[in-house]
Amino acid sequence: LWVCSLLLAPLLPSGCSGQSHGGDRVPPRFTVDLSVAPEHRWDHVVAAESRTFVPAMRAILNSSSVRDTVGVAKAILGNELEARRLFPGELYMELQGISRASGLEVAELVLLGSFYDLFAAEKSRMKTPACTGIVAQASNGEIFHGRNLDYDFTEELASITYIVDFTRNGTMLFTAVTFGPSPGFNTAVRWGVFSVTQNERDTGSVIDNYWDLLVRGRVALFNRVRQAMETVASFDDAVDVFAHVPLAAASYFILGGTKQGEGAVVTRDRDGVVDVQLLNATAGRWYLLETNYDHSIAPPKGDDRRHPLQRALNATGPKGLKASSLWEILSISKVNVSAGERAPLNNLTIYSTISQASDPSTFATKVRGRDRSAFGADAESSSSDRKSA
């Protein structure tokens, strides 16, 4: 049933016109068969996209912000002992296959696949407050999950954003949004079970991250998500896993399920859970919203995406919630800059995704347009805009 639904699914939310910004596009879509030997699962993806993703990967590694650390990081993380700890089991074998097919070094792929773990920290030169995650319950009980993924290296990552359907023995298991052919990811849906997205949470220093990676031998975060996609069989178990799995860098996990009340935002430190928020429509908590700040802390002036999103969600209400309205909310580009607000759709937004774990036909991912003038990231809303929001 899931396979048929996905094959027939439209690439945009049903009835969704959304806001189009300077050439939004649907990224390439591939199927990765987990029944195939891991060293060859990604061969067809590499063959189709190597002329794009290899230069993009090398551009990132040669960028001024990271190139001074690449040599040392490759030596420390890219050796086989550490690489197998970061990419356990078949994930390392997949990495070897991608390396063979693409010509990129395994060490380079390990570094790129561990980027978040290396650089997400309060005291990091690569600190990037970015991303939006929303899980919400409509008045009919349906759960909707949306995200904007914002990050540095916007042009490079936009060019290698893919949708990947993972199957085994002809059965669709889960769908993920990846950067290039990569075993790990931070946006995924296990059909009929749960969806998950992850946002950056900056705490501590990169030294803490390195300690957890190298001394404590922790798995790279994107690979933790991949492991959960393959093994977790219920929404409650997913919340438990993401609340307690050891991490090398703090994070927010936004999860959606298939039943009323199945929505959560899990706030994480490296070693344990800080907070779990759950949907509770009867108590008025019909949506949960996460950017990059704990819900108990006011967002800083200049990066307040929370209040524009709250206004839009409150104006929509559970009766108005559907895929198209959630897409419109993620596409807000005019905000009250003078009040310290920042647009949810901004100049770091790489892609947006809408999903329902209960309904594959809702799934949609679009790489956002590269015409920066169309985003209005620093645009001031008119007074009428602010009243209607």
Side-chain angles (χ1 to χ4, degrees), residues 74-334:
K74 283 168 57 178
I76 294 174
L77 299 179
N79 67 83
E80 186 171 354
L81 174 63
E82 292 299 335
R84 285 185 180 275
R85 293 203 299 185
L86 291 165
F87 290 74
E90 292 187 350
L91 302 188
Y92 181 74
M93 299 165 72
E94 289 184 19
L95 214 62
Q96 288 180 305
I98 296 167
S99 172
R100 169 191 48 77
S102 68
L104 290 167
E105 300 173 38
V106 169
E108 291 176 318
L109 294 169
V110 169
L111 177 55
L112 289 161
S114 308
F115 224 79
Y116 180 83
D117 308 85
L118 292 171
F119 297 113
E122 177 64 29
K123 300 174 182 178
S124 170
R125 62 180 177 178
M126 288 292 296
K127 176 182 175 181
T128 308
C131 295
T132 292
I134 298 168
V135 61
Q137 180 174 311
S139 56
N140 64 0
E142 288 188 80
I143 304 298
F144 290 87
H145 190 164
R147 78 110 86 243
N148 284 347
L149 190 140
D150 310 340
Y151 201 65
D152 204 352
F153 310 111
T154 310
E155 301 293 338
E156 292 83 0
L157 293 176
S159 72
I160 57 171
T161 297
Y162 308 147
I163 301 168
V164 181
D165 298 316
F166 290 82
T167 66
R168 179 178 282 119
N169 298 322
T171 300
M172 183 70 68
L173 297 180
F174 55 93
T175 296
V177 184
T178 72
F179 291 129
S182 173
F185 39 75
N186 69 341
T187 300
V189 189
R190 183 170 173 113
W191 300 111
V193 185
F194 74 99
S195 56
V196 63
T197 59
Q198 176 265 341
N199 289 6
E200 182 166 338
R201 182 172 186 257
D202 294 311
T203 63
S205 73
V206 293
I207 300 301
D208 300 319
N209 298 23
Y210 297 158
W211 178 265
D212 285 332
L213 284 174
L214 299 174
V215 178
R216 304 175 82 178
R218 295 190 168 175
V219 175
L221 185 143
F222 281 28
N223 295 334
R224 291 291 197 195
V225 178
R226 165 71 181 272
Q227 290 175 324
M229 284 294 114
E230 294 199 43
T231 60
V232 176
S234 75
F235 172 80
D236 289 340
D237 287 347
V239 173
D240 185 66
V241 165
F242 287 108
H244 298 104
V245 66
L247 302 174
S251 285
Y252 301 101
F253 294 103
I254 301 90
L255 297 105
T258 62
K259 303 172 185 175
Q260 294 186 29
E262 289 191 341
V265 173
V266 178
T267 302
R268 279 295 312 271
D269 277 336
R270 295 167 176 81
D271 293 322
V273 64
V274 175
D275 180 64
V276 177
Q277 290 181 285
L278 296 172
L279 286 178
N280 186 344
T282 58
R285 196 163 58 246
W286 64 272
Y287 70 83
L288 298 172
L289 163 65
E290 182 56 60
T291 56
N292 300 99
Y293 307 99
D294 292 7
H295 66 89
S296 59
I297 299 173
K301 186 176 177 63
D303 192 30
D304 181 5
R305 287 160 283 146
R306 183 187 297 171
H307 285 98
L309 291 162
Q310 286 177 332
R311 289 198 303 270
L313 284 160
N314 292 337
T316 300
K319 290 184 179 180
L321 180 67
K322 52 187 177 180
S324 58
S325 60
L326 186 53
W327 194 271
E328 295 285 345
I329 291 166
L330 291 172
S331 299
I332 293 171
S333 59
K334 292 185 178 180

Side-chain angles (χ1 to χ4, degrees), residues 301 311 332-343 375-386:
K301 186 176 177 63
R311 289 198 303 270
I332 293 171
S333 59
K334 292 185 178 180
V335 297
N336 188 355
V337 176
S338 60
E341 295 180 352
R342 181 181 174 212
F375 283 89
D378 297 318
E380 188 88 27
S381 300
S382 68
S383 59
S384 60
D385 288 335
R386 290 197 291 271

